[in-house]
């Protein structure tokens, strides 16, 4: 089954206690950060810590990603050299402006994999888009590598680049978000949303989570464990939705037996797109245990 | 007519009014015809100084004096009294405090100078605890739980000669309370639960207050009938140290996770029904359980019949919302709780015996369905240590831990699997305070363990989809991360005797080897 990436928990790469405990909060992905949450003077220590954490800790079966520093910095390549050897599931590339950035990073990963006997292609990638140029190149970026499992929006740098600020309703991010979702869908990979920084504003967070789910995103980055549960709640299908989807699948199965591709249910036409949506919802429900509780 | 024989009724025949004019024993005393206001000022129990009170009580070398810990780390009373006693040259005393805090560090000096020979307490911290762990005293400290102390007092195992009890308000005859209804001076501790029992059983009782209010100071925590003397002083404590405005919920995500899991455990345990009762002990995760439990109670339309124990503002909120019918309060943890005791008619002040004495079948801990407790260490037999740290140094208090664990239908202990790099779940703990057979569930951030004695609980929790593991697995996963710590090294000198509720010895604390 496809891996869920509803929540990506940011963990500063220089905080051993937080790295050790990151898996207990139930996020789908743990993102060990070597980039913006680590001070310049801590970069080497964080790299060393993340390498050893990946080698020794049990992350409870979670997908583990590492955000490296950009390859245009003094740290990016060093990060890759260390981290790829420790075999995280995913490398997250920051500030991706073009497909060239992805290709360059992939080349380095491939070289390191080959050098240390890791099957080439094992390390997956997520590209974070954090500039106007990146958004405009989103489609090319999304298609740039087979390693990519998702593209993500980084809103802080993006809004700065746009010469605006983040607002409560996120109107300034609307175009970028939509373009990223479309680019991701065209490449068949995940669309991942940016962080919501006000940890105390649970209501605002849920509102934003509902918005990005409606836009088509698969998940969102979180900076505090308290945001994981409400986020998952937004992404968990309701009992009604599950029952409706089960009915649709059943009706289509009946129709298929009769040799028809279309069926009417409660006066509404059901065709392939409706069926696909129902199947996707059931897949999500299955992965979140919501299916089990709905069946009880 | 036959004459009635009243001589068989004790003392009755000594009355003298039957065939002659009535003369009572107090005949020498003139009737007091001055008004209440004047009388309160002239004839009362107020003494000019602590020194005078010590003298009047007849305190002598070798006696036992007691204090309460309702003023926590803001208490001035114990130090004030001890200084006076030291100045007066009295020696070899036993100090039986319901508990001791950092502010009581000056006791170290009184131990060195021979004023204090022995200590009984629920716990201690800071320099005093450090010095005692390093062998300061010749006689080991006796550690008693709140219920155990009550039982020791009731049964005569602990005889108090003089109790010095601080009170935020007191009238001239000794009706004392933990708050002031009128003439509030801003000092408040809410319930006087631990002081109440001392007042009832001590030979002499001295109330130390900064606030003498008009008679009668009703309702009261301690009645005048139990009080011998009153001393007014300038200050009895530091309001900041006595209690904070409101116990705030923790923001620590790990503690919140544990609190949330604990609520799920309660909800699935079979003890979550309309009319259930609970207590939440101190500690971030334990106290935060109130928040998640509230949501669950609202969601499932369940109300609690009572909450026991240290009462916090959060529990008061549940009470005022109608989710908890009654509050039984032996100790108020914050100002909101103290205010509630003053204003809510179903917020009842109770004493330590009512709370937790094992000598009383009806004691409130026995009526608990659920208690949530913290721990410093838990071993794989579910025994709990709340008294000594991983370095063997005393740094905690028993409180009502073993009392509530024994009384409650389900005792849950909450703790992170590790604190920093120190495992909490261990193969062998330093000091047993609460026996494992009274602990039913352990909730950590990395999973839940159910005592094998409770297979039905195990079944209910696993059926609810909770992450139940064997306690040995939890211990092993902590050991995998932290390694196996070197055992603490001790000398053979005993510095503390840990008693169980009935006064029996459950463990000994040894002097740490330097």
């Amino acid at each position: 089954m496809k891996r869920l990436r509803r929540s990506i928990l940011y963990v500063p790469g220089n905080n051993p206690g937080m790295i050790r405990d990151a898996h207990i909060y139930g996020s789908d992905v743990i993102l060990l950060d070597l980039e913006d949450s680590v001070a310049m003077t801590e970069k080497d220590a964080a790299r060393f810590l993340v390498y050893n954490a990946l080698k020794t800790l049990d992350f409870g079966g979670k997908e583990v990603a590492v955000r490296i520093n950009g390859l245009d910095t003094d740290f990016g390549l060093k990060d890759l050299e260390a981290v790829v050897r420790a075999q995280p599931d995913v490398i997250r590339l920051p500030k991706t402006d073009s497909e060239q950035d992805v290709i360059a990073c992939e080349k380095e990963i491939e070289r390191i994999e080959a050098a240390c006997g890791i099957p080439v292609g094992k390390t997956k990638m997520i590209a974070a888009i954090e500039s106007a140029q990146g958004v405009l190149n989103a489609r090319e970026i999304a298609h740039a590598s087979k390693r990519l499992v998702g593209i993500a929006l980084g809103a802080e740098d993006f809004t700065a680049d746009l010469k605006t600020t983040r607002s409560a309703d996120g109107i300034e991010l609307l175009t970028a978000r939509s373009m990223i979702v479309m680019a991701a869908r065209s490449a068949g990979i995940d669309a991942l949303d940016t962080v919501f920084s006000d940890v105390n504003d649970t209501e605002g967070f849920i509102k934003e989570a509902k918005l990005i789910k409606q836009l088509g995103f698969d998940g969102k980055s979180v900076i505090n464990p308290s945001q994981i549960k409400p986020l998952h709640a937004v992404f968990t299908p309701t009992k009604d939705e599950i029952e409706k989807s089960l009915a649709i699948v059943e009706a289509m199965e009946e129709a298929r037996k009769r040799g028809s591709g279309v069926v009417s249910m409660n006066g509404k036409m059901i065709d392939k797109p409706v069926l696909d949506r129902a199947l996707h919802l059931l897949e999500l429900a299955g992965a979140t245990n919501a299916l089990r509780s709905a069946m009880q | 007519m036959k004459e009635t024989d009243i001589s068989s009724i004790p003392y009755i025949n000594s009355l003298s009014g039957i065939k002659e004019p009535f003369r009572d024993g107090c005949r020498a005393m003139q009737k007091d015809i001055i008004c209440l206001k004047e009388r309160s000022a002239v004839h009362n129990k107020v003494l000019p100084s602590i020194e005078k009170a010590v003298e009047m009580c007849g305190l002598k070398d070798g006696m036992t004096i007691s204090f309460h810990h309702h003023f926590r780390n803001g208490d001035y009373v114990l130090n004030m009294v001890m200084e006076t006693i030291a100045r007066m040259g009295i020696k070899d005393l036993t100090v039986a405090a319901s508990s001791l805090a950092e502010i009581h560090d000056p006791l170290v000096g009184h131990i060195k100078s021979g004023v204090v020979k022995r200590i009984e307490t629920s716990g201690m911290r800071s320099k005093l605890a450090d010095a005692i762990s390093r062998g300061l005293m010749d006689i080991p400290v006796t550690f008693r739980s709140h219920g155990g102390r009550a039982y020791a007092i009731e049964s005569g195992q602990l005889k108090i000669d003089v109790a010095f009890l601080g009170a935020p308000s007191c009238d001239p005859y000794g009706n004392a309370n933990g708050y002031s209804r009128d003439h509030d001076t801003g000092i408040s501790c809410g319930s006087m639960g631990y002081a109440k029992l001392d007042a009832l059983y001590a030979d002499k009782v001295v109330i130390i207050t900064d606030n003498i209010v008009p008679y009668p100071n009703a309702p009261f925590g301690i009645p005048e009938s139990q009080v011998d003397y009153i001393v007014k002083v300038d200050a009895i404590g530091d309001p900041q140290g006595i209690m904070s405005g409101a116990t705030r919920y923790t923001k620590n995500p790990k503690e919140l996770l544990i609190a949330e899991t604990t609520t799920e455990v309660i909800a699935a345990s079979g003890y979550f029904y309309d009319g259930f009762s609970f207590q939440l002990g101190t500690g971030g995760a334990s106290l935060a359980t109130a928040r998640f439990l509230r949501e669950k109670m609202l969601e499932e339309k369940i109300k609690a019949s009572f909450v026991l124990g240290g009462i916090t503002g959060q529990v008061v909120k549940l009470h005022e919302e109608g989710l908890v019918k009654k509050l039984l309060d032996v100790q108020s943890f914050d100002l909101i709780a103290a205010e509630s005791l003053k204003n809510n008619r179903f917020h009842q002040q109770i004493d330590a015996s009512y709370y937790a004495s094992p000598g009383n079948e009806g004691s409130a801990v026995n009526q608990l369905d659920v208690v949530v407790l913290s721990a410093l260490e838990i071993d794989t037999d579910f025994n709990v240590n709340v008294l000594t740290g991983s370095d063997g140094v005393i740094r905690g208090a028993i409180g009502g831990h073993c009392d509530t664990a024994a009384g409650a239908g389900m005792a849950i202990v909450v703790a992170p699997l590790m604190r920093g790099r120190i495992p909490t779940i261990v193969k062998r703990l330093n000091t047993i305070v609460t026996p494992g057979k009274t602990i039913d569930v352990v909730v950590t951030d990395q999973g839940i363990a159910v005592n094998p004695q409770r297979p039905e609980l195990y079944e209910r929790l696993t059926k609810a989809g909770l992450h139940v593991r064997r306690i040995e697995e939890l211990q092993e996963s902590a050991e995998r991360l932290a390694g196996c710590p070197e055992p603490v090294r001790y000398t053979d000198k005993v510095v503390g005797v840990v008693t169980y509720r009935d006064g029996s010895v459950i463990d000994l604390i040894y002097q740490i080897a330097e």
Side-chain angles (χ1 to χ4, degrees):
Chain A
M1 195 191 295
K2 179 190 164 306
R3 259 194 129 127
L4 287 181
R5 294 190 186 88
R6 295 166 298 174
S7 53
I8 300 167
L9 177 65
Y10 267 92
V11 182
N14 59 340
N15 186 325
M18 286 168 82
I19 293 174
R20 185 192 70 198
D21 295 331
H23 70 282
I24 66 179
Y25 301 108
S27 68
D28 291 331
V29 185
I30 294 166
L31 179 74
L32 307 176
D33 186 25
L34 297 175
E35 202 212 9
D36 286 353
S37 61
V38 177
M40 283 296 174
T41 52
E42 293 286 310
K43 294 288 186 191
D44 293 346
R47 186 185 309 123
F48 184 72
L49 184 63
V50 165
Y51 170 82
N52 282 292
L54 288 167
K55 289 291 245 188
T56 50
L57 291 182
D58 172 9
F59 289 95
K62 307 279 175 205
E63 183 167 58
V64 181
V66 178
R67 179 165 78 167
I68 59 163
N69 290 283
L71 289 179
D72 56 341
T73 67
D74 293 345
F75 315 109
L77 196 55
K78 287 183 187 164
D79 290 345
L80 273 185
E81 288 283 359
V83 166
V84 171
R85 284 179 161 75
Q87 300 190 48
D89 299 300
V90 177
I91 295 288
R92 176 161 163 147
L93 181 64
K95 303 186 176 68
T96 317
D97 290 334
S98 70
E99 64 182 317
Q100 272 316 310
D101 291 342
V102 178
I103 292 164
C105 183
E106 160 154 52
K107 220 174 107 193
E108 297 296 346
I109 293 174
E110 195 169 313
R111 178 181 58 75
I112 300 163
E113 282 177 341
C116 57
I118 299 167
V120 170
K122 181 168 182 276
T123 315
K124 302 297 175 200
M125 288 172 73
I126 289 174
I129 294 171
E130 306 180 48
S131 66
Q133 198 196 351
V135 169
L136 290 171
N137 290 333
R139 198 184 84 84
E140 288 72 27
I141 290 171
H143 288 266
S145 165
K146 282 204 164 63
R147 289 177 190 258
L148 280 173
V149 293
I151 51 172
L153 173 65
E156 297 305 328
D157 285 293
F158 175 72
T159 42
D161 192 35
L162 277 194
K163 297 196 189 320
T164 180
T165 52
R166 285 188 74 175
S167 65
D169 62 1
I171 186 75
E172 69 288 346
L173 297 180
L174 186 59
T175 307
R177 278 174 165 156
S178 298
M179 285 181 71
I180 283 172
V181 171
M182 280 189 277
R185 291 291 168 262
S186 78
I189 60 175
D190 283 350
L192 304 163
D193 191 46
T194 187
V195 298
F196 184 84
S197 349
D198 187 354
V199 177
N200 296 321
D201 182 8
T202 308
E203 211 174 298
F205 175 78
I206 292 172
K207 205 174 138 203
E208 183 166 284
K210 284 182 174 160
L211 171 76
I212 61 112
K213 177 178 178 269
Q214 186 61 32
L215 285 175
F217 278 93
D218 297 281
K220 184 171 177 60
S221 295
V222 296
I223 46 164
N224 189 290
S226 68
Q227 296 176 324
I228 295 168
K229 221 168 192 177
L231 178 58
H232 286 190
V234 168
F235 273 94
T236 303
T238 64
K239 197 174 175 218
D240 271 4
E241 286 172 331
I242 293 168
E243 281 170 356
K244 207 169 143 195
S245 298
L246 284 171
I248 289 168
V249 174
E250 217 168 281
M252 280 301 272
E253 188 61 21
E254 288 289 310
R256 199 184 54 80
K257 279 181 193 160
R258 291 196 316 267
S260 163
V262 183
V263 71
S264 162
M265 206 172 88
N266 302 332
K268 279 186 187 165
M269 188 190 72
I270 295 173
D271 51 9
K272 189 163 180 304
V274 178
L275 176 68
D276 288 347
R277 206 158 55 227
L279 287 170
H280 174 70
L281 189 135
L282 288 175
E283 191 180 31
L284 197 59
T288 57
N289 280 332
L291 192 58
R292 195 181 62 136
S293 15
M295 305 294 273
Q296 272 171 3
Chain B
M1 200 175 87
K2 191 170 173 257
E3 202 164 309
T4 310
D5 177 19
I6 60 169
S7 65
S8 58
I9 306 173
Y11 302 110
I12 288 296
N13 56 3
S14 63
L15 267 179
S16 56
I18 297 172
K19 281 174 183 161
E20 52 193 282
F22 174 70
R23 288 164 49 217
D24 69 358
C26 307
R27 66 193 181 283
M29 201 202 258
Q30 282 291 318
K31 183 180 170 181
D32 194 348
I33 55 164
I34 59 174
C35 70
L36 167 64
K37 194 176 171 190
E38 290 168 320
R39 189 183 305 118
S40 302
V42 183
H43 307 301
N44 56 42
K45 299 179 184 172
V46 181
L47 296 178
S49 66
I50 294 174
E51 188 164 349
K52 185 73 186 166
V54 172
E55 200 184 299
M56 295 287 284
C57 290
L59 187 70
K60 292 190 177 57
D61 291 358
M63 282 187 165
T64 298
I65 56 177
S66 86
F67 301 91
H68 69 67
H69 73 290
H70 290 290
F71 297 167
R72 282 163 279 265
N73 206 32
D75 177 43
Y76 293 166
V77 172
L78 186 144
N79 292 341
M80 212 156 36
V81 171
M82 291 313 300
E83 256 170 56
T84 308
I85 290 173
R87 224 174 26 239
M88 293 169 75
I90 302 171
K91 299 268 183 195
D92 295 337
L93 295 173
T94 294
V95 170
S98 56
S99 202
L100 294 168
E102 187 180 345
I103 198 165
H104 302 124
D105 278 347
L107 275 174
V108 173
H110 298 306
I111 293 165
K112 284 183 180 161
S113 64
V115 177
V116 175
K117 194 166 89 179
R118 203 167 76 74
I119 289 180
E120 296 223 358
T121 180
S122 156
M124 54 175 64
R125 286 177 178 83
S126 192
K127 282 183 193 146
L128 174 67
D130 219 54
I132 285 171
S133 298
R134 291 181 158 78
L136 174 69
M137 298 189 83
D138 295 331
I139 302 176
V141 172
T142 309
F143 290 95
R144 295 189 197 272
S145 70
H146 292 327
R149 183 177 190 269
Y151 181 66
I153 292 172
E154 290 167 324
S155 64
Q157 290 174 24
L158 171 56
K159 186 181 168 301
I160 300 167
D161 295 301
V162 185
F164 294 94
L165 306 173
S169 73
C170 184
D171 68 31
Y173 300 98
N175 295 298
N177 216 348
Y179 55 82
S180 312
R181 194 161 290 279
D182 313 300
H183 309 92
D184 197 339
T185 56
I187 301 259
S188 176
C189 69
S191 175
M192 298 276 283
Y194 301 121
K196 282 164 77 77
L197 206 70
D198 291 27
L200 182 59
Y201 282 92
D203 274 358
K204 295 286 177 189
V205 174
V206 181
I207 300 287
I208 315 271
T209 186
D210 64 341
N211 187 19
I212 294 188
V213 298
Y215 177 90
N217 185 25
F220 41 78
I222 293 171
E224 58 180 22
S225 50
Q226 295 167 3
V227 175
D228 296 283
Y229 305 110
I230 299 152
V231 178
K232 184 173 188 290
V233 293
D234 292 337
I236 52 172
D238 167 17
Q240 299 296 320
I242 292 176
M243 49 174 55
S244 57
T247 314
R248 261 197 284 275
Y249 280 125
T250 175
K251 283 198 169 165
N252 178 330
K254 203 193 284 186
E255 288 183 337
L256 289 171
L257 177 74
I258 294 172
E260 199 172 356
T261 310
T262 303
T263 301
E264 288 166 13
V265 167
I266 295 171
S269 66
Y271 289 102
F272 191 58
Y273 59 93
D274 196 40
F276 83 119
S277 62
F278 67 95
Q279 174 168 350
L280 304 176
T282 50
S286 173
L287 293 176
T289 305
R291 169 164 141 194
F292 299 101
L293 201 54
R294 174 179 173 271
E295 285 164 20
K296 201 83 194 169
M297 288 168 81
L298 286 169
E299 194 183 304
E300 304 206 2
K301 298 192 170 55
I302 279 176
K303 288 177 181 167
S305 55
F306 75 91
V307 170
L308 175 64
I311 300 295
T312 58
Q314 287 127 21
V315 165
V316 167
K317 187 180 166 205
L318 298 190
H319 175 56
E320 290 176 348
E321 278 180 316
L323 288 172
V324 173
K325 287 196 182 118
K326 288 169 190 177
L327 303 178
L328 298 179
D329 187 350
V330 71
Q331 180 182 11
S332 315
F333 278 155
D334 56 30
L335 279 176
I336 298 179
E339 278 297 305
S340 164
L341 181 68
K342 190 163 149 180
N343 300 322
N344 287 324
R345 61 192 287 229
F346 292 118
H347 185 157
Q348 172 75 44
Q349 183 166 189
I350 61 170
D351 68 38
S353 170
Y354 186 116
Y355 170 47
S357 170
N360 167 14
E361 183 56 37
S363 88
V365 292
N366 293 348
Q367 323 308 330
L368 278 174
D369 284 317
V370 178
V371 65
V372 181
L373 297 162
S374 301
L376 288 171
E377 288 180 314
I378 305 154
D379 72 15
T380 44
D381 292 322
F382 292 81
N383 297 309
V384 180
N385 170 19
V386 288
L387 207 47
T388 53
S390 57
D391 53 359
V393 177
I394 301 160
R395 61 173 76 247
I398 303 178
H401 202 282
C402 54
D403 304 309
T404 51
M410 176 173 65
I412 303 173
V413 171
V414 295
L417 185 66
M418 299 180 68
R419 288 190 173 89
R421 56 188 182 83
I422 313 279
T424 307
I425 306 210
V426 293
K427 274 190 191 145
R428 281 200 53 188
L429 39 70
N430 277 316
T431 308
I432 296 184
V433 169
T434 300
K437 64 174 187 181
T438 61
I439 301 297
D440 303 292
V441 184
V442 171
V443 177
T444 74
D445 50 328
Q446 316 240 353
I448 301 158
V450 179
N451 193 324
Q453 287 178 164
R454 300 295 302 270
E456 86 291 0
L457 261 180
Y458 175 86
E459 201 171 307
R460 286 190 189 125
L461 302 190
T462 34
K463 209 173 157 192
L466 292 169
H467 186 206
V468 185
R469 305 168 69 184
R470 287 185 312 114
I471 195 159
E472 291 82 3
E473 278 175 53
L474 291 171
Q475 184 271 321
E476 283 155 15
S477 57
E479 194 177 303
R480 260 200 305 281
L481 287 168
C484 194
E486 291 270 315
V488 182
R489 290 189 309 116
Y490 297 101
T491 71
D492 54 7
K493 178 179 176 176
V494 176
V495 298
V497 175
V498 186
T499 62
Y500 192 53
R501 310 179 68 204
D502 59 356
S504 59
V505 176
I506 189 165
D507 209 347
L508 297 172
I509 302 172
Y510 290 88
Q511 179 187 7
I512 54 163
E514 302 288 349

